[in-house]
Amino acid sequence: MAKPLNKLVSCVILDLDGTLLNTDGIVSDVLKAYLVKHEKQWDGRRAHRIVGKTPYEASAAVVEDYELPISTDEFISEITPRFSEQWCNIKAQPGANRLINHLRSHGVPMALASNSPKMNVETKISYHQGGDEVTSGKPSPEIYVEVAKRLNMNPSSCLVIEDSLPGVTAGKAAGMEVVAVPSLPKQSHLFTSADEVINSLLDLQPEKWGLPAFEDWIESTLPIEPWYIGGPVIKGFGRGSKVLGIPTANLSTEAYSAILSEHPSGVYFGWARLPTRGVYKMVMSIGWNPYFNNSEKTIEPWLLHDFNEDFYGEELRLAIVGYIRPEANFPSLDSLVAKIHEDRKIAENALELPLYSKYKEDPYLKIS
Ligand code: ADP
Ligand code: RBF
Ligand code: MG
């Protein structure tokens, strides 16, 4: 069956918290610390109860979920100063600045639609915005209807980008096209009402909606600001990746939870260094390996070299310089393996380009 074409749009409305801004980490850090005061423990599995809600609704949910012996208003007055201290540490989601610059440079009208008016002010992003003047938060379509009015656009000409379920519901109820970018892991199956679900803003294809395509992909790769991780090679799942001809020298994710939460799961490439052996091309997956449905994130670099032996315990350093694709599920192990070999070719070729090859000399790979 041919995939139906998406509706063509002429403007984009972006959710702020969780979509353009990586707020989840700060929210969970603040709540984790605060709950200790009440001798309660933060439960990451309940994070979905607060995502996409107004500050008041989210607070009410926390008071209820953790059976706190205070009112929602008391909770808000205690938690607000703790959040205010942290707002300065909020980072943009990967791809957020790229998307905004792309839309702006092509003159695509855009707007923000946040549930949290305070954050709009403090982040000083000067676009059209709603949130401060609507009476009901998402999932009510009100905020999206209001923003479309201010943009002078028909709702059907608007593309909404949202990370939360209430936000997606609001966008659809407003009669808009909606792309979901779930900010919490393993939630994509819940977003059935969205017109498309993507893993991160890096995967957005504006041309699917009649908007200008990104022009920064180079030979099936997306250059990124390099990031670095390293540590001793640990035992993985022992699934016989080696038997498949795809050995992956796993790194521990423990020391890197902060840096990993800043980067979307997916297939990346770059340079790998083993101190006694040298620097090698590398292609890797970071994430939950949807085909195996792991419950933990793994870091699995495949060094593109024949070693003829194991090197468990050796210190491995990675400079990650480009992105290839999101992790995917596959109908068979054969098709997963074929895709990984395709990734290998893409990485091997790309790493010859000066843009990427220069990082072979990166100081991080030289320090002993
Ligand atoms: P595990 O499940 O323990 O990660 P794998 O089957 O993925 O086992 O094999 C990975 C191990 O193979 C690495 O830890 C490393 O010691 C070794 N190895 C040999 N050649 C390579 C290579 N080219 N890339 C990555 N690891 C390799
Ligand atoms: N696992 C997945 O479930 N989905 C993927 O899309 C995926 N892509 C990968 C890409 C590369 C370059 C590598 C090295 C691994 C990838 N894996 C993926 C991880 C794979 O499932 C894991 O290494 C297994 O242990 C292989 O048997
Ligand atoms: Mg491995």
Side-chain angles (χ1 to χ4, degrees):
M1 210 170 35
K3 196 176 168 292
L5 282 175
N6 296 315
K7 248 193 255 163
L8 305 185
V9 303
S10 43
C11 71
V12 178
I13 307 179
L14 300 146
D15 168 60
L16 188 60
D17 306 357
T19 302
L20 293 180
L21 298 179
N22 188 345
T23 46
D24 293 344
I26 280 169
V27 169
S28 63
D29 286 352
V30 166
L31 290 176
K32 204 181 279 173
Y34 174 80
L35 287 170
V36 171
K37 199 182 119 170
H38 290 285
E39 293 173 351
K40 305 275 164 143
Q41 212 188 343
W42 166 248
D43 179 354
R45 287 166 301 182
R46 287 192 195 158
H48 67 277
R49 294 262 297 147
I50 54 181
V51 170
K53 294 196 167 153
T54 63
Y56 187 86
E57 291 165 341
S59 301
V62 173
V63 170
E64 186 186 323
D65 284 0
Y66 293 90
E67 300 173 339
L68 300 182
I70 53 172
S71 70
T72 299
D73 286 321
E74 284 168 325
F75 174 82
I76 290 173
S77 63
E78 288 188 15
I79 206 86
T80 300
R82 290 170 179 249
F83 274 118
S84 299
E85 264 170 38
Q86 290 299 322
W87 287 147
C88 53
N89 297 326
I90 289 181
K91 294 209 168 111
Q93 291 284 28
N97 288 322
R98 168 180 178 251
L99 173 60
I100 288 173
N101 290 335
H102 174 71
L103 295 175
R104 184 164 34 200
S105 72
H106 287 85
V108 177
M110 64 180 137
L112 296 178
S114 167
N115 259 348
S116 164
K118 190 153 181 293
M119 283 203 46
N120 285 333
V121 177
E122 297 194 356
T123 52
K124 299 190 181 67
I125 301 178
S126 52
Y127 298 96
H128 300 268
Q129 51 174 309
D132 40 352
E133 284 153 40
V134 297
T135 47
S136 37
K138 302 163 188 177
S140 159
E142 200 182 333
I143 186 168
Y144 281 117
V145 171
E146 178 59 33
V147 169
K149 246 187 236 158
R150 291 194 208 176
L151 283 173
N152 227 349
M153 291 283 175
N154 279 324
S156 64
S157 310
C158 298
L159 176 65
V160 165
I161 305 182
E162 262 289 353
D163 72 300
S164 78
L165 216 42
V168 169
T169 308
K172 288 314 295 178
M176 301 178 177
E177 295 294 286
V178 179
V179 173
V181 195
S183 56
L184 299 176
K186 297 192 168 202
Q187 299 279 308
S188 51
H189 62 286
L190 300 174
F191 286 75
T192 47
S193 63
D195 298 288
E196 188 184 15
V197 183
I198 57 177
N199 183 58
S200 78
L201 292 176
L202 301 181
D203 302 322
L204 185 71
Q205 293 179 276
E207 65 275 23
K208 283 191 178 173
W209 315 90
L211 297 170
F214 281 108
E215 292 129 6
D216 49 359
W217 285 86
I218 299 165
E219 300 183 12
S220 302
T221 68
L222 181 64
I224 57 172
E225 191 54 43
W227 50 286
Y228 305 94
I229 47 176
V233 174
I234 60 165
K235 280 264 172 201
F237 291 97
R239 277 204 199 98
S241 318
K242 240 179 295 187
V243 181
L244 297 171
I246 306 169
T248 57
N250 298 41
L251 286 178
S252 163
T253 51
E254 258 162 52
Y256 289 101
S257 59
I259 199 167
L260 288 182
S261 74
E262 278 173 35
H263 297 279
S265 61
V267 177
Y268 294 83
F269 64 94
W271 297 98
R273 181 206 186 218
L274 290 162
T276 62
R277 298 169 197 267
V279 178
Y280 306 94
K281 290 178 176 176
M282 170 283 292
V283 64
M284 70 194 291
S285 93
I286 296 183
W288 288 266
N289 299 354
Y291 183 78
F292 297 100
N293 195 22
N294 297 347
S295 58
E296 271 172 76
K297 224 174 182 174
T298 58
I299 305 177
E300 302 201 38
W302 179 20
L303 279 55
L304 304 180
H305 179 83
D306 280 329
F307 289 95
N308 296 317
E309 62 174 344
D310 287 345
F311 42 83
Y312 289 109
E314 288 186 32
E315 200 69 18
L316 173 64
R317 286 191 170 215
L318 306 176
I320 299 147
V321 303
Y323 172 78
I324 300 180
R325 63 174 176 91
E327 287 192 300
N329 203 341
F330 291 88
S332 67
L333 193 56
D334 281 352
S335 50
L336 169 65
V337 169
K339 189 71 182 176
I340 297 176
H341 279 283
E342 216 179 279
D343 297 330
R344 172 189 183 139
K345 282 225 177 68
I346 291 171
E348 267 182 333
N349 292 333
L351 286 165
E352 294 291 323
L353 302 170
L355 166 73
Y356 297 122
S357 66
K358 65 179 183 206
Y359 293 108
K360 192 177 179 184
E361 312 300 330
D362 196 290
Y364 179 78
L365 301 176
K366 299 226 148 92
I367 313 161
S368 49

